Amino acid sequence: MTVTETSKTGYEPIDPSVREQYAKDGFYVIKNALDEESRAKYEEAVDKVYAEESDADRLRPDKSIHVMGYFDRNPLFLDLLTWPTTFPYIWGTMGWNIYTHHNHIDVNPPKDEPPFWNWHQDGYRQNSDIDMEPRPMFMTKICFALTDLSIPGHGQTKVIPGSHLNNTLAGRPEKEGDPIIEPEGSTEVLLSPGDAFIFDRRLWHSRSMNKSDVTRKLMFIGYTYRWIRPLDENVADQDSDWFKGLTPLQQQLLGYGPDNASFWGIKQSGWIDDGIPLRSELKERGLLDRQVPFLR
């Protein structure tokens, strides 16, 4: 089910059927989220970010970008936080005690690549540290399509409807060379330029191969709850001589991390950070356990 909306304020209640479908499928498509004039302006802004990344020699080997925390790159981006045609779907499915904690621009040129397994749930350590079935939602993410993703093969996001209620997904290759088998129920989210879709961060999803002649350009905004942050005001002064004299493990347990990605258990590259003090200590002692999610 999709909808078309124009001339909105951003504070119109969504139809209860939308909330029901979102809870059932884990995603919802919003047609014509950006009018053509706005879409063109945002594509120009994204192209400028791409040029800046290229000039700074920060393109990936395949000439793609995955730029996180982009709101300070152009004043236009701030308007997306409460965009009139999409904001109702954010507060309408999450409530009012929210903020944005994770945002990224993705630009993926065409690439003739072999099949790959990239199925995942967003949330990093949230998917390992919380042992319950199903896990809490915690985040709704919105994706704005700036280029044509209405034709299969343009690098669409693939999803498995309803999979946000499953903690695991069968089929991941065990070793290099194992066959890539598409999970049952996989479907591509087809979007015209200017369309958007929201999805539950638990939804199993994957980027597909862009075998077209069009560069894939998307903007993502992730919203979560405002209580996902420290509660105490009187936190340790991490610049003090006292704090600097603590052990790395003591510093970790008092809130230190070299960057925000560290708090999610990863490096900025997205790989697990084996340098996190307690993980390093447990690994050295042979106490990590792949069979226990929060000890992986």
Side-chain angles (χ1 to χ4, degrees):
M1 178 178 179
T2 58
V3 296
T4 301
E5 298 188 73
T6 58
S7 303
K8 299 294 184 180
T9 67
Y11 296 97
E12 293 79 10
I14 60 173
D15 191 288
S17 64
V18 174
R19 195 175 292 110
E20 292 173 6
Q21 184 186 334
Y22 186 60
K24 173 178 174 288
D25 293 338
F27 75 102
Y28 188 85
V29 174
I30 306 165
K31 299 296 292 181
N32 302 315
L34 297 172
D35 59 85
E36 176 53 27
E37 181 180 359
S38 298
R39 187 212 61 80
K41 287 181 179 179
Y42 280 109
E43 182 174 14
E44 183 179 355
V46 166
D47 287 345
K48 183 178 179 181
V49 171
Y50 185 89
E52 292 169 351
E53 294 298 296
S54 179
D55 291 344
D57 197 27
R58 290 195 291 260
L59 298 185
R60 292 179 168 184
D62 62 359
K63 305 301 181 183
S64 68
I65 63 172
H66 177 72
V67 175
M68 297 194 291
Y70 62 87
F71 279 109
D72 62 345
R73 302 291 289 263
N74 190 307
L76 282 175
F77 293 138
L78 288 172
D79 291 338
L80 292 172
L81 288 171
T82 55
W83 195 256
T85 58
T86 57
F87 193 46
Y89 296 91
I90 303 302
W91 62 259
T93 55
M94 295 190 73
W96 51 265
N97 196 37
I98 59 175
Y99 79 113
T100 179
H101 72 305
H102 176 49
N103 314 284
H104 54 92
I105 288 172
D106 287 7
V107 175
N108 302 93
K111 181 181 178 182
D112 188 14
E113 55 188 336
F116 60 92
W117 179 278
N118 188 37
W119 288 94
H120 65 283
Q121 295 174 306
D122 285 348
Y124 298 105
R125 291 301 301 182
Q126 288 179 338
N127 296 313
S128 299
D129 295 344
I130 301 172
D131 189 19
M132 59 183 297
E133 182 86 31
R135 302 183 185 101
M137 177 182 70
F138 282 147
M139 176 175 73
T140 287
K141 208 170 192 181
I142 186 165
C143 168
F144 293 90
L146 299 177
T147 51
D148 190 1
L149 298 175
S150 65
I151 303 172
H154 284 221
Q156 283 84 355
T157 300
K158 296 184 293 186
V159 303
I160 303 174
S163 62
H164 59 302
L165 302 179
N166 300 323
N167 285 2
T168 59
L169 180 65
R172 181 185 296 275
E174 293 292 331
K175 61 183 182 302
E176 188 175 351
D178 283 355
I180 304 297
I181 301 174
E182 192 75 359
E184 184 178 354
S186 168
T187 185
E188 296 183 5
V189 181
L190 302 181
L191 303 172
S192 297
D195 289 351
F197 79 103
I198 59 171
F199 63 100
D200 185 317
R201 65 113 194 147
R202 301 169 297 176
L203 185 71
W204 288 92
H205 61 285
S206 172
R207 176 179 66 85
S208 63
M209 293 178 284
N210 182 6
K211 293 184 174 294
S212 71
D213 57 359
V214 178
T215 296
R216 170 188 188 256
K217 302 174 186 178
L218 302 171
M219 302 180 297
F220 291 84
I221 305 174
Y223 296 82
T224 192
Y225 295 104
R226 295 171 63 242
W227 39 260
I228 300 182
R229 59 177 68 224
L231 176 61
D232 295 348
E233 296 290 346
N234 186 25
V235 296
D237 181 1
Q238 298 184 1
D239 293 324
S240 68
D241 291 338
W242 172 80
F243 192 88
K244 293 176 181 178
L246 301 178
T247 68
L249 179 54
Q250 288 172 330
Q251 291 181 348
Q252 174 189 332
L253 297 178
L254 285 174
Y256 174 75
D259 52 37
N260 286 348
S262 175
F263 302 137
W264 294 78
I266 60 170
K267 300 177 181 178
Q268 288 290 348
S269 63
W271 297 103
I272 291 177
D273 186 358
D274 282 323
I276 293 173
L278 185 52
R279 177 179 174 81
S280 178
E281 185 74 20
L282 295 179
K283 185 175 183 179
E284 184 177 340
R285 295 172 180 268
L287 296 174
L288 296 182
D289 186 347
R290 290 290 305 171
Q291 303 307 310
V292 180
F294 50 82
L295 287 176
R296 289 175 182 166

